[in-house]
Amino acid sequence: MEEEKISIKTNIFWERLTELIKMSGKSMNCIERELNYSRNALHNYKQGTEPSGSRLLELADYFNVLPEYLIGKSEKRNSIVSKIIFEDLSNKEKYRLFKTSQKWMEQNWIEVTQLKKS
């Protein structure tokens, strides 16, 4: 029973990794090439070995998920970070966001400068 618990926990990284690979629509070999990993580097995690800290961060960044999600410490795939949201915007949406921010700054500039003085 104890062995079963351990194998389930150690395979969560592999399960989540393979799920993300499938969702990407790319092959494991393709992703290994894009990340400059040796052939079968990702497949080796099937045996339950854990990635190094730097490899975990690289994979999390590549798939746009939290490292904690990959290793099973969180069920949240990614945090809502303005950088992630901004990167997902089209150029047209980025321009509209810029114009909205610019307009807000122009309308609130006096209030902001007054707050800084007090």
Side-chain angles (χ1 to χ4, degrees):
M1 182 77 164
E2 188 64 31
E3 253 181 62
E4 188 179 322
K5 285 182 184 175
I6 292 170
S7 66
I8 290 170
K9 186 173 182 177
T10 55
N11 280 334
I12 193 144
F13 174 77
W14 173 251
E15 290 168 13
R16 291 188 173 178
L17 178 63
T18 54
E19 174 191 0
L20 292 166
I21 291 169
K22 212 178 283 184
M23 288 172 56
S24 76
K26 299 178 182 180
S27 70
M28 196 173 291
N29 288 336
C30 176
I31 292 170
E32 288 168 338
R33 281 191 305 274
E34 289 178 358
L35 292 170
N36 294 317
Y37 294 168
S38 62
R39 187 165 165 78
N40 293 323
L42 297 178
H43 193 268
N44 292 335
Y45 294 119
K46 187 175 185 177
Q47 274 54 41
T49 57
E50 293 181 6
S52 66
S54 60
R55 173 78 44 101
L56 178 64
L57 292 174
E58 288 171 349
L59 290 167
D61 186 53
Y62 181 86
F63 290 109
N64 197 23
V65 296
L66 293 169
E68 294 85 353
Y69 173 77
L70 276 173
I71 60 173
K73 297 227 179 219
S74 173
E75 293 303 313
K76 286 176 57 176
R77 284 182 188 233
N78 48 17
S79 62
I80 299 175
V81 179
S82 51
K83 180 181 177 187
I84 293 170
I85 293 169
F86 186 77
E87 288 173 352
D88 287 341
L89 296 175
S90 69
N91 284 338
K92 185 176 180 180
E93 291 169 325
K94 288 176 183 176
Y95 181 75
R96 285 178 53 208
L97 179 61
F98 169 74
K99 293 305 276 181
T100 302
S101 299
Q102 189 177 35
K103 185 177 178 181
W104 180 89
M105 286 178 57
E106 289 168 358
Q107 291 173 347
N108 295 289
W109 182 251
I110 294 171
E111 292 175 29
V112 171
T113 54
Q114 286 175 348
L115 286 174
K116 284 184 179 180
K117 290 179 182 177
S118 50

